Amino acid sequence: MSVISTSEVTSLLSPVNAFLHCETPQSWIEEAQKEENLRVILTDHLICELKAAQSAMYLLRRYVADEETSKVLLGWLKPYEDFTYRHEGDWQSLNTKHLSKNVFNTEGLDPFKKDMLDKMVMLIKEELHHFYQVLEIMHELGFEYKSVTSSRYANGLLRHVRTYEPEKLVDKLICGAYIEARSCERFAKLAPYVSEDLGKFYVSLLRSEARHFEDYLTLAGQIAKTDISERVAHFGNVEKSLIESDDDELRFHSGAPQLS
Protein backbone atom coordinates (compact mmCIF):
# COMPACT_ATOMS: atom_id res chain seq x y z
CA MET A 1 0.00 0.00 0.00
CA SER A 2 1.56 3.27 -1.08
CA VAL A 3 1.81 6.17 1.32
CA ILE A 4 0.78 9.63 0.15
CA SER A 5 2.82 12.60 1.31
CA THR A 6 1.30 15.41 3.36
CA SER A 7 1.69 17.82 0.46
CA GLU A 8 -0.15 15.43 -1.87
CA VAL A 9 -2.96 15.00 0.66
CA THR A 10 -3.31 18.78 0.85
CA SER A 11 -3.32 19.03 -2.93
CA LEU A 12 -5.95 16.31 -3.31
CA LEU A 13 -8.20 17.78 -0.62
CA SER A 14 -8.06 21.34 -1.89
CA PRO A 15 -10.68 20.92 -4.67
CA VAL A 16 -12.77 18.64 -2.45
CA ASN A 17 -12.94 21.19 0.35
CA ALA A 18 -13.65 23.98 -2.13
CA PHE A 19 -16.56 21.94 -3.53
CA LEU A 20 -18.16 20.94 -0.22
CA HIS A 21 -20.16 23.59 1.64
CA CYS A 22 -19.07 22.51 5.14
CA GLU A 23 -16.59 20.40 7.06
CA THR A 24 -17.44 17.27 9.00
CA PRO A 25 -18.58 18.25 12.53
CA GLN A 26 -16.07 17.58 15.28
CA SER A 27 -18.76 15.63 17.15
CA TRP A 28 -18.81 13.06 14.30
CA ILE A 29 -15.03 12.66 14.44
CA GLU A 30 -15.14 12.19 18.21
CA GLU A 31 -17.70 9.39 17.96
CA ALA A 32 -16.29 7.74 14.83
CA GLN A 33 -12.79 7.39 16.30
CA LYS A 34 -14.01 5.45 19.35
CA GLU A 35 -12.91 1.82 19.32
CA GLU A 36 -16.41 0.59 20.17
CA ASN A 37 -17.79 2.31 17.03
CA LEU A 38 -15.14 1.08 14.60
CA ARG A 39 -17.07 -2.01 13.47
CA VAL A 40 -20.11 0.08 12.53
CA ILE A 41 -18.00 2.66 10.69
CA LEU A 42 -16.11 0.01 8.72
CA THR A 43 -19.29 -1.94 7.94
CA ASP A 44 -21.10 1.13 6.70
CA HIS A 45 -18.02 2.17 4.70
CA LEU A 46 -18.05 -1.30 3.14
CA ILE A 47 -21.70 -0.98 2.15
CA CYS A 48 -21.12 2.55 0.83
CA GLU A 49 -18.44 1.22 -1.52
CA LEU A 50 -20.94 -1.30 -2.93
CA LYS A 51 -23.66 1.33 -3.24
CA ALA A 52 -21.26 3.59 -5.13
CA ALA A 53 -20.61 0.74 -7.56
CA GLN A 54 -24.35 0.09 -7.83
CA SER A 55 -25.06 3.75 -8.60
CA ALA A 56 -22.46 3.77 -11.36
CA MET A 57 -23.85 0.48 -12.67
CA TYR A 58 -27.34 1.97 -12.79
CA LEU A 59 -26.07 4.80 -14.97
CA LEU A 60 -24.46 2.36 -17.39
CA ARG A 61 -27.53 0.13 -17.58
CA ARG A 62 -29.93 3.07 -17.91
CA TYR A 63 -28.03 5.20 -20.41
CA VAL A 64 -25.38 3.08 -22.19
CA ALA A 65 -25.97 -0.68 -22.18
CA ASP A 66 -28.29 -2.71 -24.37
CA GLU A 67 -30.45 -5.49 -22.87
CA GLU A 68 -27.87 -8.26 -23.21
CA THR A 69 -25.02 -6.17 -21.83
CA SER A 70 -27.23 -5.11 -18.94
CA LYS A 71 -27.54 -8.76 -17.90
CA VAL A 72 -23.75 -9.09 -17.92
CA LEU A 73 -23.45 -6.00 -15.76
CA LEU A 74 -25.85 -7.41 -13.18
CA GLY A 75 -23.66 -10.49 -13.04
CA TRP A 76 -20.67 -8.30 -12.14
CA LEU A 77 -22.32 -7.15 -8.93
CA LYS A 78 -24.21 -10.31 -7.93
CA PRO A 79 -21.45 -11.93 -5.80
CA TYR A 80 -21.00 -8.69 -3.86
CA GLU A 81 -24.73 -8.20 -3.40
CA ASP A 82 -25.19 -11.83 -2.37
CA PHE A 83 -22.54 -11.43 0.31
CA THR A 84 -23.72 -8.03 1.55
CA TYR A 85 -27.51 -8.37 1.49
CA ARG A 86 -28.12 -12.13 1.59
CA HIS A 87 -25.04 -13.22 3.58
CA GLU A 88 -24.16 -15.77 0.92
CA GLY A 89 -20.72 -16.72 -0.38
CA ASP A 90 -17.14 -16.43 0.77
CA TRP A 91 -15.75 -12.88 0.93
CA GLN A 92 -12.26 -14.12 0.02
CA SER A 93 -13.51 -15.23 -3.41
CA LEU A 94 -14.63 -11.73 -4.36
CA ASN A 95 -12.52 -10.02 -6.99
CA THR A 96 -12.86 -7.54 -9.85
CA LYS A 97 -10.72 -9.24 -12.48
CA HIS A 98 -13.71 -9.98 -14.72
CA LEU A 99 -14.76 -6.35 -14.99
CA SER A 100 -14.15 -4.96 -18.47
CA LYS A 101 -15.75 -2.40 -20.75
CA ASN A 102 -15.12 -4.81 -23.62
CA VAL A 103 -18.58 -6.30 -23.03
CA PHE A 104 -20.11 -3.09 -24.39
CA ASN A 105 -20.92 -2.50 -28.04
CA THR A 106 -19.42 0.95 -28.46
CA GLU A 107 -20.25 1.30 -32.14
CA GLY A 108 -22.46 4.32 -32.62
CA LEU A 109 -22.11 5.59 -29.04
CA ASP A 110 -22.02 9.38 -28.83
CA PRO A 111 -19.03 11.04 -27.09
CA PHE A 112 -20.95 11.58 -23.85
CA LYS A 113 -21.90 7.90 -23.53
CA LYS A 114 -18.35 6.83 -24.34
CA ASP A 115 -17.02 9.14 -21.64
CA MET A 116 -19.59 7.84 -19.15
CA LEU A 117 -18.62 4.28 -20.04
CA ASP A 118 -14.92 4.93 -19.45
CA LYS A 119 -15.44 6.78 -16.18
CA MET A 120 -18.09 4.50 -14.67
CA VAL A 121 -16.35 1.19 -15.47
CA MET A 122 -13.19 2.50 -13.84
CA LEU A 123 -15.19 3.76 -10.86
CA ILE A 124 -16.96 0.41 -10.42
CA LYS A 125 -13.68 -1.48 -10.50
CA GLU A 126 -12.14 0.84 -7.92
CA GLU A 127 -15.16 0.82 -5.60
CA LEU A 128 -15.37 -2.99 -5.61
CA HIS A 129 -11.64 -3.20 -4.98
CA HIS A 130 -12.07 -0.87 -2.00
CA PHE A 131 -15.00 -3.06 -0.86
CA TYR A 132 -12.68 -6.05 -0.77
CA GLN A 133 -9.95 -4.08 1.00
CA VAL A 134 -12.36 -3.07 3.78
CA LEU A 135 -13.38 -6.71 4.19
CA GLU A 136 -9.71 -7.63 4.54
CA ILE A 137 -9.27 -5.02 7.27
CA MET A 138 -12.39 -6.20 9.09
CA HIS A 139 -11.12 -9.78 8.92
CA GLU A 140 -7.74 -8.74 10.33
CA LEU A 141 -9.50 -6.93 13.19
CA GLY A 142 -11.70 -9.95 13.94
CA PHE A 143 -14.93 -8.21 12.91
CA GLU A 144 -17.52 -10.58 11.50
CA TYR A 145 -19.63 -8.93 8.82
CA LYS A 146 -23.11 -8.04 10.06
CA SER A 147 -25.49 -5.72 8.25
CA VAL A 148 -26.21 -2.21 9.51
CA THR A 149 -29.09 0.05 8.57
CA SER A 150 -28.49 2.76 5.99
CA SER A 151 -28.07 6.39 6.95
CA ARG A 152 -30.48 9.10 5.80
CA TYR A 153 -27.72 10.77 3.77
CA ALA A 154 -28.04 9.42 0.22
CA ASN A 155 -31.85 9.40 0.23
CA GLY A 156 -31.78 12.91 1.64
CA LEU A 157 -29.90 14.03 -1.47
CA LEU A 158 -31.79 11.91 -4.00
CA ARG A 159 -35.23 13.13 -2.96
CA HIS A 160 -34.31 16.46 -4.57
CA VAL A 161 -33.59 14.87 -7.97
CA ARG A 162 -35.90 16.04 -10.73
CA THR A 163 -38.09 13.44 -12.44
CA TYR A 164 -37.62 14.33 -16.13
CA GLU A 165 -34.68 13.92 -18.49
CA PRO A 166 -32.00 15.10 -18.97
CA GLU A 167 -32.41 17.00 -15.71
CA LYS A 168 -32.87 13.75 -13.77
CA LEU A 169 -29.50 12.48 -14.99
CA VAL A 170 -27.82 15.82 -14.30
CA ASP A 171 -29.09 15.81 -10.71
CA LYS A 172 -28.10 12.19 -10.12
CA LEU A 173 -24.59 12.95 -11.32
CA ILE A 174 -24.35 15.97 -9.03
CA CYS A 175 -25.51 13.83 -6.10
CA GLY A 176 -22.82 11.31 -6.99
CA ALA A 177 -20.25 14.08 -6.92
CA TYR A 178 -21.22 15.16 -3.40
CA ILE A 179 -21.30 11.60 -2.06
CA GLU A 180 -17.82 10.92 -3.43
CA ALA A 181 -16.43 14.23 -2.21
CA ARG A 182 -17.80 13.72 1.31
CA SER A 183 -16.31 10.23 1.43
CA CYS A 184 -12.95 11.70 0.49
CA GLU A 185 -13.20 14.41 3.14
CA ARG A 186 -14.12 11.89 5.83
CA PHE A 187 -11.25 9.58 4.97
CA ALA A 188 -8.91 12.49 5.59
CA LYS A 189 -10.69 13.61 8.76
CA LEU A 190 -10.68 10.17 10.34
CA ALA A 191 -7.21 8.99 9.27
CA PRO A 192 -5.23 10.72 12.10
CA TYR A 193 -7.42 9.17 14.83
CA VAL A 194 -7.39 5.48 13.92
CA SER A 195 -4.60 2.88 13.84
CA GLU A 196 -1.61 3.59 11.64
CA ASP A 197 -2.54 0.86 9.14
CA LEU A 198 -6.17 1.95 8.88
CA GLY A 199 -5.11 5.57 8.62
CA LYS A 200 -2.76 4.73 5.75
CA PHE A 201 -5.59 2.88 4.03
CA TYR A 202 -7.95 5.86 4.32
CA VAL A 203 -5.29 8.21 2.99
CA SER A 204 -4.56 5.83 0.11
CA LEU A 205 -8.21 6.10 -0.97
CA LEU A 206 -7.90 9.85 -1.50
CA ARG A 207 -6.36 9.54 -4.95
CA SER A 208 -9.31 7.74 -6.52
CA GLU A 209 -12.08 9.29 -4.43
CA ALA A 210 -10.89 12.83 -5.20
CA ARG A 211 -11.08 12.10 -8.91
CA HIS A 212 -14.50 10.43 -8.70
CA PHE A 213 -16.33 13.57 -7.67
CA GLU A 214 -14.78 15.50 -10.54
CA ASP A 215 -15.72 12.74 -13.00
CA TYR A 216 -19.35 13.03 -11.94
CA LEU A 217 -19.31 16.81 -12.28
CA THR A 218 -17.72 16.60 -15.72
CA LEU A 219 -20.44 14.25 -16.94
CA ALA A 220 -23.17 16.45 -15.46
CA GLY A 221 -21.78 19.47 -17.28
CA GLN A 222 -21.58 17.56 -20.56
CA ILE A 223 -25.19 16.35 -20.58
CA ALA A 224 -26.83 19.53 -19.25
CA LYS A 225 -28.40 21.90 -21.73
CA THR A 226 -27.88 24.83 -19.37
CA ASP A 227 -25.33 25.95 -16.79
CA ILE A 228 -25.40 23.58 -13.80
CA SER A 229 -23.89 25.89 -11.19
CA GLU A 230 -27.30 26.65 -9.64
CA ARG A 231 -28.10 22.93 -9.24
CA VAL A 232 -24.62 22.25 -7.86
CA ALA A 233 -25.14 25.00 -5.28
CA HIS A 234 -28.62 23.67 -4.43
CA PHE A 235 -27.35 20.19 -3.71
CA GLY A 236 -24.41 21.65 -1.85
CA ASN A 237 -26.81 23.35 0.56
CA VAL A 238 -28.86 20.15 0.93
CA GLU A 239 -25.70 18.15 1.63
CA LYS A 240 -24.53 20.75 4.16
CA SER A 241 -27.82 20.49 6.03
CA LEU A 242 -27.60 16.70 6.17
CA ILE A 243 -24.03 16.81 7.48
CA GLU A 244 -24.49 19.56 10.06
CA SER A 245 -27.91 18.65 11.46
CA ASP A 246 -28.38 16.30 14.41
CA ASP A 247 -28.46 12.59 13.66
CA ASP A 248 -29.62 9.78 15.94
CA GLU A 249 -27.24 7.21 14.46
CA LEU A 250 -23.57 6.99 13.58
CA ARG A 251 -22.74 6.04 10.01
CA PHE A 252 -19.96 6.94 7.57
CA HIS A 253 -22.03 9.77 6.06
CA SER A 254 -24.21 10.61 9.05
CA GLY A 255 -24.71 14.06 10.50
CA ALA A 256 -23.79 15.38 13.94
CA PRO A 257 -24.42 12.38 16.21
CA GLN A 258 -26.88 12.79 19.08
CA LEU A 259 -26.70 9.26 20.40
CA SER A 260 -28.74 8.02 23.34
Tab-separated table of all heavy atoms in Angstrom, residues 146-177:
chain	number	residue	atom	x	y	z
A	146	LYS	N	-21.694	-8.069	9.706
A	146	LYS	CA	-23.111	-8.038	10.064
A	146	LYS	C	-23.695	-6.762	9.480
A	146	LYS	O	-23.090	-5.690	9.572
A	146	LYS	CB	-23.302	-8.056	11.590
A	146	LYS	CG	-22.782	-9.313	12.267
A	146	LYS	CD	-22.960	-9.230	13.778
A	146	LYS	CE	-22.396	-10.472	14.467
A	146	LYS	NZ	-22.535	-10.383	15.948
A	147	SER	N	-24.877	-6.872	8.908
A	147	SER	CA	-25.487	-5.717	8.249
A	147	SER	C	-25.779	-4.602	9.242
A	147	SER	O	-26.026	-4.846	10.430
A	147	SER	CB	-26.796	-6.125	7.563
A	147	SER	OG	-26.579	-7.148	6.620
A	148	VAL	N	-25.755	-3.365	8.742
A	148	VAL	CA	-26.213	-2.210	9.515
A	148	VAL	C	-27.228	-1.448	8.657
A	148	VAL	O	-27.214	-1.545	7.432
A	148	VAL	CB	-25.050	-1.266	9.911
A	148	VAL	CG1	-24.071	-1.984	10.816
A	148	VAL	CG2	-24.347	-0.713	8.677
A	149	THR	N	-28.099	-0.727	9.303
A	149	THR	CA	-29.093	0.049	8.567
A	149	THR	C	-28.420	1.221	7.851
A	149	THR	O	-27.380	1.718	8.283
A	149	THR	CB	-30.172	0.593	9.513
A	149	THR	OG1	-29.538	1.379	10.543
A	149	THR	CG2	-30.956	-0.545	10.156
A	150	SER	N	-29.038	1.647	6.766
A	150	SER	CA	-28.491	2.755	5.986
A	150	SER	C	-28.725	4.083	6.700
A	150	SER	O	-29.677	4.236	7.464
A	150	SER	CB	-29.141	2.807	4.601
A	150	SER	OG	-28.895	1.619	3.889
A	151	SER	N	-27.865	5.044	6.419
A	151	SER	CA	-28.071	6.393	6.948
A	151	SER	C	-29.091	7.131	6.076
A	151	SER	O	-29.450	6.679	4.988
A	151	SER	CB	-26.750	7.162	6.986
A	151	SER	OG	-26.343	7.507	5.669
A	152	ARG	N	-29.502	8.292	6.539
A	152	ARG	CA	-30.480	9.102	5.801
A	152	ARG	C	-29.820	9.885	4.674
A	152	ARG	O	-30.489	10.517	3.865
A	152	ARG	CB	-31.121	10.108	6.767
A	152	ARG	CG	-30.073	11.004	7.391
A	152	ARG	CD	-30.585	11.956	8.451
A	152	ARG	NE	-29.455	12.709	8.982
A	152	ARG	CZ	-29.492	13.976	9.346
A	152	ARG	NH1	-30.600	14.654	9.226
A	152	ARG	NH2	-28.438	14.587	9.823
A	153	TYR	N	-28.491	9.846	4.590
A	153	TYR	CA	-27.721	10.770	3.767
A	153	TYR	C	-28.052	10.692	2.280
A	153	TYR	O	-28.470	11.684	1.669
A	153	TYR	CB	-26.229	10.520	4.001
A	153	TYR	CG	-25.290	11.366	3.184
A	153	TYR	CD1	-25.030	12.690	3.528
A	153	TYR	CD2	-24.645	10.840	2.069
A	153	TYR	CE1	-24.155	13.465	2.795
A	153	TYR	CE2	-23.758	11.604	1.325
A	153	TYR	CZ	-23.528	12.915	1.683
A	153	TYR	OH	-22.659	13.682	0.940
A	154	ALA	N	-27.858	9.535	1.666
A	154	ALA	CA	-28.043	9.422	0.217
A	154	ALA	C	-29.485	9.716	-0.180
A	154	ALA	O	-29.739	10.468	-1.129
A	154	ALA	CB	-27.626	8.041	-0.268
A	155	ASN	N	-30.436	9.146	0.557
A	155	ASN	CA	-31.845	9.403	0.230
A	155	ASN	C	-32.197	10.868	0.439
A	155	ASN	O	-33.045	11.415	-0.276
A	155	ASN	CB	-32.752	8.516	1.083
A	155	ASN	CG	-32.774	7.076	0.600
A	155	ASN	OD1	-32.492	6.806	-0.565
A	155	ASN	ND2	-33.103	6.149	1.481
A	156	GLY	N	-31.541	11.497	1.409
A	156	GLY	CA	-31.780	12.915	1.637
A	156	GLY	C	-31.358	13.768	0.458
A	156	GLY	O	-31.974	14.804	0.169
A	157	LEU	N	-30.319	13.344	-0.248
A	157	LEU	CA	-29.902	14.028	-1.473
A	157	LEU	C	-30.815	13.677	-2.645
A	157	LEU	O	-31.282	14.557	-3.386
A	157	LEU	CB	-28.462	13.643	-1.819
A	157	LEU	CG	-27.335	14.243	-0.975
A	157	LEU	CD1	-26.016	13.555	-1.306
A	157	LEU	CD2	-27.210	15.742	-1.207
A	158	LEU	N	-31.085	12.390	-2.804
A	158	LEU	CA	-31.794	11.911	-3.996
A	158	LEU	C	-33.251	12.359	-4.045
A	158	LEU	O	-33.835	12.419	-5.133
A	158	LEU	CB	-31.711	10.383	-4.069
A	158	LEU	CG	-30.309	9.821	-4.332
A	158	LEU	CD1	-30.307	8.306	-4.194
A	158	LEU	CD2	-29.812	10.230	-5.719
A	159	ARG	N	-33.839	12.688	-2.919
A	159	ARG	CA	-35.233	13.126	-2.957
A	159	ARG	C	-35.386	14.490	-3.644
A	159	ARG	O	-36.496	14.907	-3.968
A	159	ARG	CB	-35.836	13.148	-1.560
A	159	ARG	CG	-35.320	14.206	-0.619
A	159	ARG	CD	-36.215	14.302	0.628
A	159	ARG	NE	-36.412	13.012	1.238
A	159	ARG	CZ	-35.817	12.596	2.357
A	159	ARG	NH1	-34.969	13.417	2.990
A	159	ARG	NH2	-36.038	11.412	2.861
A	160	HIS	N	-34.266	15.171	-3.877
A	160	HIS	CA	-34.309	16.459	-4.571
A	160	HIS	C	-34.058	16.327	-6.076
A	160	HIS	O	-34.046	17.337	-6.794
A	160	HIS	CB	-33.271	17.409	-3.965
A	160	HIS	CG	-33.598	17.844	-2.571
A	160	HIS	ND1	-34.235	19.040	-2.286
A	160	HIS	CD2	-33.391	17.227	-1.378
A	160	HIS	CE1	-34.395	19.143	-0.980
A	160	HIS	NE2	-33.894	18.058	-0.406
A	161	VAL	N	-33.845	15.098	-6.548
A	161	VAL	CA	-33.586	14.867	-7.970
A	161	VAL	C	-34.873	15.083	-8.772
A	161	VAL	O	-35.945	14.604	-8.400
A	161	VAL	CB	-33.058	13.433	-8.195
A	161	VAL	CG1	-33.023	13.084	-9.677
A	161	VAL	CG2	-31.669	13.287	-7.574
A	162	ARG	N	-34.750	15.806	-9.870
A	162	ARG	CA	-35.900	16.045	-10.734
A	162	ARG	C	-36.298	14.760	-11.455
A	162	ARG	O	-35.501	13.838	-11.574
A	162	ARG	CB	-35.583	17.167	-11.725
A	162	ARG	CG	-35.437	18.545	-11.044
A	162	ARG	CD	-34.865	19.602	-11.967
A	162	ARG	NE	-33.437	19.368	-12.219
A	162	ARG	CZ	-32.664	20.224	-12.892
A	162	ARG	NH1	-33.173	21.357	-13.364
A	162	ARG	NH2	-31.385	19.942	-13.064
A	163	THR	N	-37.532	14.698	-11.939
A	163	THR	CA	-38.090	13.439	-12.443
A	163	THR	C	-38.103	13.345	-13.959
A	163	THR	O	-38.592	12.364	-14.508
A	163	THR	CB	-39.526	13.255	-11.926
A	163	THR	OG1	-40.329	14.370	-12.335
A	163	THR	CG2	-39.544	13.165	-10.398
A	164	TYR	N	-37.568	14.326	-14.670
A	164	TYR	CA	-37.616	14.328	-16.130
A	164	TYR	C	-36.206	14.486	-16.676
A	164	TYR	O	-35.333	15.062	-16.046
A	164	TYR	CB	-38.512	15.472	-16.630
A	164	TYR	CG	-38.270	16.792	-15.923
A	164	TYR	CD1	-37.346	17.724	-16.415
A	164	TYR	CD2	-38.948	17.102	-14.742
A	164	TYR	CE1	-37.105	18.910	-15.755
A	164	TYR	CE2	-38.708	18.292	-14.071
A	164	TYR	CZ	-37.793	19.186	-14.580
A	164	TYR	OH	-37.545	20.374	-13.916
A	165	GLU	N	-35.998	13.922	-17.866
A	165	GLU	CA	-34.676	13.920	-18.490
A	165	GLU	C	-34.478	15.131	-19.398
A	165	GLU	O	-35.454	15.635	-19.956
A	165	GLU	CB	-34.492	12.638	-19.305
A	165	GLU	CG	-34.552	11.352	-18.506
A	165	GLU	CD	-33.331	11.114	-17.625
A	165	GLU	OE1	-32.486	12.022	-17.486
A	165	GLU	OE2	-33.237	10.014	-17.066
A	166	PRO	N	-33.239	15.627	-19.557
A	166	PRO	CA	-31.996	15.100	-18.969
A	166	PRO	C	-31.710	15.613	-17.563
A	166	PRO	O	-30.676	15.303	-17.002
A	166	PRO	CB	-30.934	15.588	-19.955
A	166	PRO	CG	-31.446	16.911	-20.424
A	166	PRO	CD	-32.945	16.736	-20.514
A	167	GLU	N	-32.651	16.410	-17.023
A	167	GLU	CA	-32.414	17.003	-15.709
A	167	GLU	C	-32.255	15.946	-14.619
A	167	GLU	O	-31.486	16.120	-13.666
A	167	GLU	CB	-33.561	17.954	-15.358
A	167	GLU	CG	-33.540	19.273	-16.118
A	167	GLU	CD	-34.099	19.149	-17.547
A	167	GLU	OE1	-34.561	18.043	-17.909
A	167	GLU	OE2	-34.077	20.165	-18.274
A	168	LYS	N	-32.995	14.837	-14.749
A	168	LYS	CA	-32.870	13.750	-13.775
A	168	LYS	C	-31.445	13.216	-13.746
A	168	LYS	O	-30.862	13.033	-12.666
A	168	LYS	CB	-33.848	12.624	-14.120
A	168	LYS	CG	-33.775	11.427	-13.188
A	168	LYS	CD	-34.790	10.359	-13.606
A	168	LYS	CE	-34.717	9.137	-12.690
A	168	LYS	NZ	-35.696	8.099	-13.098
A	169	LEU	N	-30.871	12.983	-14.914
A	169	LEU	CA	-29.504	12.482	-14.995
A	169	LEU	C	-28.519	13.508	-14.451
A	169	LEU	O	-27.594	13.156	-13.706
A	169	LEU	CB	-29.154	12.132	-16.437
A	169	LEU	CG	-27.704	11.706	-16.703
A	169	LEU	CD1	-27.286	10.537	-15.821
A	169	LEU	CD2	-27.520	11.360	-18.177
A	170	VAL	N	-28.701	14.762	-14.795
A	170	VAL	CA	-27.823	15.823	-14.298
A	170	VAL	C	-27.808	15.822	-12.774
A	170	VAL	O	-26.742	15.841	-12.132
A	170	VAL	CB	-28.260	17.199	-14.834
A	170	VAL	CG1	-27.484	18.320	-14.135
A	170	VAL	CG2	-28.055	17.276	-16.339
A	171	ASP	N	-28.998	15.774	-12.163
A	171	ASP	CA	-29.091	15.813	-10.707
A	171	ASP	C	-28.467	14.579	-10.069
A	171	ASP	O	-27.799	14.661	-9.025
A	171	ASP	CB	-30.552	15.936	-10.276
A	171	ASP	CG	-31.119	17.330	-10.502
A	171	ASP	OD1	-30.352	18.222	-10.902
A	171	ASP	OD2	-32.331	17.519	-10.278
A	172	LYS	N	-28.683	13.404	-10.663
A	172	LYS	CA	-28.098	12.187	-10.116
A	172	LYS	C	-26.561	12.254	-10.150
A	172	LYS	O	-25.882	11.803	-9.218
A	172	LYS	CB	-28.594	10.959	-10.883
A	172	LYS	CG	-29.970	10.453	-10.449
A	172	LYS	CD	-30.352	9.209	-11.199
A	172	LYS	CE	-31.610	8.583	-10.633
A	172	LYS	NZ	-31.403	7.977	-9.296
A	173	LEU	N	-26.037	12.807	-11.218
A	173	LEU	CA	-24.586	12.945	-11.324
A	173	LEU	C	-24.044	13.931	-10.284
A	173	LEU	O	-22.984	13.701	-9.693
A	173	LEU	CB	-24.211	13.394	-12.735
A	173	LEU	CG	-24.435	12.350	-13.846
A	173	LEU	CD1	-24.335	12.997	-15.225
A	173	LEU	CD2	-23.434	11.204	-13.721
A	174	ILE	N	-24.767	15.007	-10.056
A	174	ILE	CA	-24.346	15.973	-9.032
A	174	ILE	C	-24.387	15.327	-7.646
A	174	ILE	O	-23.480	15.515	-6.828
A	174	ILE	CB	-25.218	17.244	-9.079
A	174	ILE	CG1	-24.985	17.986	-10.403
A	174	ILE	CG2	-24.910	18.155	-7.895
A	174	ILE	CD1	-25.947	19.133	-10.640
A	175	CYS	N	-25.441	14.554	-7.374
A	175	CYS	CA	-25.513	13.832	-6.101
A	175	CYS	C	-24.317	12.900	-5.951
A	175	CYS	O	-23.703	12.817	-4.876
A	175	CYS	CB	-26.811	13.030	-6.015
A	175	CYS	SG	-28.304	14.004	-5.746
A	176	GLY	N	-23.985	12.192	-7.026
A	176	GLY	CA	-22.822	11.312	-6.988
A	176	GLY	C	-21.552	12.065	-6.658
A	176	GLY	O	-20.688	11.567	-5.910
A	177	ALA	N	-21.430	13.272	-7.196
A	177	ALA	CA	-20.249	14.077	-6.920
A	177	ALA	C	-20.144	14.416	-5.433
A	177	ALA	O	-19.058	14.327	-4.833
A	177	ALA	CB	-20.290	15.358	-7.756
